[in-house]
Amino acid sequence: MNGPMMKRPVFLKQKNMVRVLRALAPLLAVCIYYFGWRVAAMLAVACGTGFLTEWIMASRRDGRVSMACFVTCSLYALSLSVTVPLWIVAVGAVVAILFGKEVFGGFGKNVFNPAIVGRGFVFVCFPVEITSRYVPVFRGFPGGFAHWSMESLERLPTYLQGAGLTVADAVTAATPMWARRDFGYETPTLDLFTGRIGGVFEHEGVSRILAAGSNIEVCGIAIVLAGLYLLWTRTANWRLTAGMLLGATGSALLFRYAVGIAAVPPIGFTLGSGALLYAAVFMVTDPVSAPKKKPAQWIYAVLIGTLVVFFRYRSIFTGGVVFSILFGNMASPTLDRWVGLWQARRKEAS
Amino acid sequence: MNRNAPGYVLGFMAALCVVFGSGVATVHYATRDMLAANEQLNHNRVVCAAFDLPVSGRAAADYVRAMEQALEMATVQDGRGGIRQVYRRVDADAPVLGFTFWGMGFWDRIEGVAVLSADLQTLIRIRFLDHKETPGLGARIEEAAFLDQFEGLRPDWTASPERRVIIGSAAPAQAGNRVDSITGATQTSASLMQLLNEELERIRELDLSELEFKSLKETAP
Amino acid sequence: MSANARDIFKAGLIGDNPIYRQVLGICSALAVTNLLANTLFMCFGVVFTTALSNLTVSLLRRHIPKRVRMIAQVLIIASYVMIVDTLIRALNPDIHRFIGPYVGLIITNCIIMGRAEAFAGQNPPWPSLLDGLACGLGYSLVLIVIALVREPMGFGTLLGYPLPARELWWHSWTIMVMPPGAFFMLAIVTWIARSRFDAQKETPA
């Protein structure tokens, strides 16, 4: 094997990927508004390390770096919460590109969605940093545009002052999903979609701060708009998005009303909380790791939506998107094959 | 000779079984006393640690001597088929009692010794005899940082039976009978909390005045 | 060492390394490698059992009936494992508390059965003993490399001793404590080893 000779990077032009980046730009602005400029720094770190990783690996082949690399790293960085240390952001980006994509042979050959691989890795590897430090959002004008992050503040924003709580309390606050599950506090559905996540609630005599989860979990409306753009330009496959939402809605209805499990939240909360919408627009629509045949795509997306609801209800953590998608990715080649066999048999029969 | 003839196959296997079976049996028999001694040594070490007894050396005999000087023991038949050992410290001013306890952890049985004040109002110390929790995660219940939290902890006997001691963030929030759980080992912490509370309840139901404490010299085999 | 013996060792350690080349014994590679001390004991157990079971199978190779050779091999292997287990429990109970569950797993280690079946069944005792040793050591080599990464990253220790000044720079990688960490490490070791040692003889499939 030759030494690691670095070739000048040549970018693989991928129109679809550019469109996804274009859809992500306003989301980034929204996230900065809610959380401060640190979000932009996280994105830069993820894209920088991700690009380096892909460049080094690509230099051993033909030196072509895919635009998808930036999409992967942006999606990954936005799915973290704003308090995650930057070096962890970098580790996840390397894992996403190296183990999510390059070891399989580069763009188009990966089994799993690379952004999810990176997100899953840091989640399992650094559970404390990833899941125990959340902050509320900034509000008003100019919101987060005037701040680095809530964590670096000396005093809480005015709307959170009172009840004797400090910045440290804000960092360890409960997200809407934890609050609902452990403290019985249900965040209003409208707030979930508009990102008004922050405030103080009482549980058994203790005041707790409600905090947002990951960067991207707060802006449901912005995601819906970005999703409409991607669907309009046919960048994202509508079957996958619709299937996942359908699966989540259907199983939430089934579990909550037909089976009668109160721990499963109502539809609005299910769709608005956590990363479900984000995943439905940006994650399950990854064309490489999703099945290729239409019926298989429906099964795949509905399966993932159902698993999200199930994992949220049954597992020890409150989110379930990452593992649902990894599971779906794993099943995707098999689904394609089964559907292929089924179609061939039908053709033969007719 | 035909190596595939049924007689040969059976004979060969029988011979193999006899040879290796007796080999295993011999090793097992030869080390039987060592195994029992090891088991006893582990038990004694944990009891000494739980009572914080002064031990003069690290040999098995040192632990035995320390226990004989400081403790009396009684045994109670436990409803679940086990035998609970109850130790009473006799050389100190304030009498304290030690109870062996066991229950299901996350992976397997967790066994230990809990030392309480004689009125059962205060936990003095707990130590584990055996557990099979994940190394590095659940197994950290053996670390001092976790165990030290139990020293002086007062079980809340007025609370509901599953909340006498609380591990982790379970409600109520302002409870004084709480210790921190182990980060990353939610399941071990939850199982341990459950088994400790169940065992505390069983210990409370014991009729302590009925117990016949004997000097360890008499009860020693 | 004769040329033959050298070849056997070279094959067991590198060319036909049981882990990264034959992909055997993976379960135990995942289970024990988060602490170096556990790894060393597991390796010792596997080297011992592989060597002795190879020797025994080779000595009996003209007498074992073909139809029941697997059963016979399992019986031999299981006996040695039980002996190892009992000895560790008697001699060092503290270590047994940590690796006891894994010692039983030696029986299911495919390397031992694989070598008995592939090598010892057809070769004389002396080369079989060497082959068992070599394969056990090849297994150990890979496991130790993995443990040398996993223990420092997961626990910040090496053989139980804290790394120097670890409070300044070290951070726990939980995944390295858990079996998935071994999957990553195993893949990386296999990747590096095969690109290093197999580059010359690799032919496109």
Side-chain angles (χ1 to χ4, degrees):
Chain A
M1 182 173 285
N2 302 325
M5 289 262 296
M6 297 299 286
K7 295 190 184 126
R8 242 183 108 240
V10 180
F11 282 102
L12 206 61
K13 293 226 165 44
Q14 294 168 302
K15 250 190 230 160
N16 279 351
M17 294 301 158
V18 177
R19 281 202 209 104
V20 178
L21 287 175
R22 220 178 279 156
L24 281 172
L27 285 186
L28 174 64
V30 171
C31 288
I32 295 173
Y33 169 76
Y34 282 127
F35 293 105
W37 285 99
R38 199 172 185 280
V39 180
M42 292 167 69
L43 199 85
V45 166
C47 286
T49 43
F51 165 71
L52 270 181
T53 312
E54 176 142 344
W55 181 24
I56 292 169
M57 294 306 292
S59 294
R60 289 157 180 260
R61 296 196 301 266
D62 53 3
R64 293 202 297 174
V65 176
S66 66
M67 293 251 171
C69 150
F70 296 107
V71 171
T72 299
C73 294
S74 309
L75 290 176
Y76 154 75
L78 289 178
S79 73
L80 297 169
S81 71
V82 71
T83 53
V84 173
L86 291 176
W87 71 270
I88 291 182
V89 177
V91 168
V94 171
V95 171
I97 298 296
L98 186 61
F99 290 103
K101 189 165 78 171
E102 289 300 326
V103 291
F104 294 103
F107 178 77
K109 302 200 173 86
N110 43 303
V111 182
F112 298 102
N113 182 333
I116 295 286
V117 171
R119 183 64 174 80
F121 184 89
V122 293
F123 173 71
V124 176
C125 199
F126 309 107
V128 178
E129 285 78 5
I130 300 285
T131 60
S132 68
R133 296 152 56 82
Y134 295 114
V135 289
V137 298
F138 288 107
R139 282 185 190 173
F141 182 81
F145 286 112
H147 298 285
W148 177 246
S149 81
M150 185 80 78
E151 210 178 358
S152 64
L153 293 185
E154 304 252 305
R155 288 171 57 223
L156 288 175
T158 39
Y159 84 94
L160 283 170
Q161 283 171 12
L165 296 166
T166 63
V167 174
D169 295 317
V171 170
T172 55
T175 68
M177 288 200 286
W178 283 118
R180 183 178 188 281
R181 183 161 127 162
D182 290 1
F183 309 117
Y185 172 80
E186 194 145 331
T187 315
T189 306
L190 187 65
D191 287 2
L192 290 173
F193 282 93
T194 57
R196 280 174 57 89
I197 300 174
V200 178
F201 64 94
E202 294 265 324
H203 173 69
E204 299 192 350
V206 187
S207 303
R208 287 174 196 270
I209 292 183
L210 183 70
S214 306
N215 291 333
I216 207 68
E217 290 184 16
V218 290
C219 39
I221 295 178
I223 294 174
V224 170
L225 291 176
L228 287 178
Y229 166 76
L230 290 180
L231 293 176
W232 183 256
T233 55
R234 294 175 187 256
T235 312
N237 184 331
W238 69 274
R239 278 177 210 90
L240 295 169
T241 304
M244 178 159 173
L245 296 178
L246 201 73
T249 315
S251 50
L253 277 176
L254 181 77
F255 287 143
R256 186 175 173 83
Y257 300 107
V259 185
I261 303 165
V264 174
I267 306 299
F269 192 93
T270 297
L271 293 182
S273 63
L276 194 139
L277 264 185
Y278 181 55
V281 171
F282 290 100
M283 296 296 192
V284 287
T285 51
D286 170 32
V288 178
S289 55
K292 309 291 172 286
K293 298 196 159 63
K294 283 173 194 167
Q297 288 175 337
W298 279 112
I299 302 172
Y300 168 83
V302 170
L303 172 77
I304 290 176
T306 310
L307 282 176
V308 170
V309 173
F310 181 71
F311 282 157
R312 281 181 179 178
Y313 151 58
R314 280 310 284 186
S315 64
I316 53 170
F317 33 85
T318 56
V321 169
V322 165
F323 294 109
S324 309
I325 296 183
L326 286 179
F327 191 87
N329 289 164
M330 218 154 41
S332 130
T334 316
L335 288 175
D336 256 346
R337 190 178 143 71
W338 282 348
V339 168
L341 289 174
W342 172 69
Q343 284 173 337
R345 198 180 314 158
R346 253 190 10 166
K347 202 177 263 174
E348 224 168 80
S350 64
Chain B
M1 185 171 183
N2 180 8
R3 277 201 280 152
N4 280 324
Y8 179 84
V9 170
L10 280 178
F12 179 85
M13 287 310 288
L16 204 64
C17 286
V18 167
V19 171
F20 280 90
S22 46
V24 171
T26 312
V27 172
H28 189 78
Y29 190 77
T31 56
R32 207 176 45 166
D33 294 343
M34 284 168 87
L35 294 181
N38 287 336
E39 196 81 2
Q40 191 61 46
L41 172 62
N42 179 44
H43 182 91
N44 291 352
R45 277 198 303 204
V46 172
V47 171
C48 287
F51 277 98
D52 198 21
L53 299 181
V55 183
S56 54
R58 303 197 57 183
D62 298 324
Y63 290 102
V64 172
R65 201 175 317 118
M67 283 170 66
E68 283 176 355
Q69 279 165 6
L71 302 176
E72 290 179 337
M73 188 182 82
T75 55
V76 218
Q77 198 73 38
D78 184 83
R80 295 169 293 169
I83 292 174
R84 191 189 303 282
Q85 292 165 339
V86 183
Y87 292 93
R88 181 164 68 184
R89 183 152 190 186
V90 287
D91 67 335
D93 303 332
V96 295
L97 295 169
F99 302 86
T100 53
F101 66 86
W102 61 93
M104 196 59 196
F106 178 39
W107 293 118
D108 206 341
R109 232 165 97 109
I110 295 180
E111 294 174 40
V113 179
V115 178
L116 288 117
S117 60
D119 57 1
L120 302 187
Q121 291 304 310
T122 313
L123 259 172
I124 314 269
R125 228 169 269 107
I126 71 167
R127 288 292 181 272
F128 295 107
L129 286 160
D130 195 18
H131 70 81
K132 301 204 168 44
E133 302 307 300
T134 324
L137 293 169
R140 295 181 59 200
I141 53 173
E142 278 199 305
E143 289 181 6
F146 180 72
L147 291 173
D148 288 351
Q149 300 182 90
F150 288 92
E151 293 191 19
L153 190 77
R154 300 178 70 88
D156 186 354
W157 293 110
T158 58
S160 62
E162 71 276 14
R163 290 277 188 280
R164 299 279 161 75
V165 294
I166 295 175
I167 300 178
S169 61
Q174 239 80 48
N177 55 342
R178 177 195 307 284
V179 299
D180 290 332
S181 61
I182 289 175
T183 312
T186 327
Q187 298 301 312
T188 298
S189 305
S191 322
L192 184 63
M193 173 169 154
Q194 193 189 344
L195 90 87
L196 276 180
N197 279 309
E198 285 170 9
E199 289 288 85
L200 280 174
E201 185 64 20
R202 292 195 188 98
I203 286 170
R204 196 176 67 124
E205 283 166 0
L206 288 178
D207 191 350
L208 294 174
S209 58
E210 289 273 290
L211 296 179
E212 290 173 23
F213 285 97
K214 286 182 186 148
S215 143
L216 282 167
K217 279 183 194 126
E218 292 170 39
T219 53
Chain C
M1 210 187 272
S2 68
N4 190 19
R6 202 176 308 135
D7 287 344
I8 290 176
F9 267 94
K10 225 169 146 187
L13 282 168
I14 295 169
D16 289 333
N17 183 293
I19 298 260
Y20 70 75
R21 195 69 236 188
Q22 302 178 38
V23 200
L24 293 176
I26 300 301
C27 331
S28 54
L30 302 180
V32 299
T33 49
N34 61 0
L35 288 172
L36 184 58
N38 295 359
T39 309
L40 291 176
F41 270 92
M42 186 71 182
C43 292
F44 168 77
V46 170
V47 171
F48 178 84
T49 344
T50 320
L52 278 187
S53 75
N54 256 15
L55 180 68
T56 316
V57 170
S58 171
L59 284 172
L60 294 174
R61 71 187 187 280
R62 293 192 209 289
H63 309 287
I64 299 178
K66 275 271 174 300
R67 277 157 57 185
V68 293
R69 65 184 195 286
M70 297 269 187
I71 305 173
Q73 287 162 4
V74 169
L75 193 101
I76 292 166
I77 295 166
S79 305
Y80 283 125
V81 170
M82 284 165 78
I83 290 171
V84 171
D85 184 57
T86 316
L87 284 178
I88 298 179
R89 196 149 50 127
L91 298 175
N92 200 332
D94 289 335
I95 297 244
H96 191 270
R97 280 164 57 114
F98 283 107
I99 65 162
Y102 303 131
V103 174
L105 285 179
I106 297 178
I107 300 175
T108 64
N109 192 319
C110 320
I111 297 170
I112 305 173
M113 186 97 175
R115 293 326 287 177
E117 178 72 7
F119 196 94
Q122 286 96 47
N123 288 287
W126 176 241
S128 295
L129 178 70
L130 290 181
D131 178 76
L133 283 174
C135 282
L137 290 172
Y139 166 88
S140 309
L141 182 74
V142 177
L143 257 70
I144 290 168
V145 169
I146 295 177
L148 280 175
V149 176
R150 281 183 75 190
E151 182 174 344
M153 284 180 88
F155 294 100
T157 58
L158 200 55
L159 273 176
Y161 296 102
L163 299 175
R166 68 170 177 181
E167 56 285 346
L168 297 179
W169 57 275
W170 175 82
H171 192 284
S172 173
W173 291 51
T174 309
I175 200 168
M176 286 300 169
V177 176
M178 302 190 297
F183 272 115
F184 277 93
M185 281 315 301
L186 197 60
I188 293 172
V189 169
T190 306
W191 182 8
I192 294 173
R194 292 184 81 148
S195 63
R196 205 118 295 234
F197 300 130
D198 300 354
Q200 302 92 336
K201 51 182 173 182
E202 198 84 14
T203 47

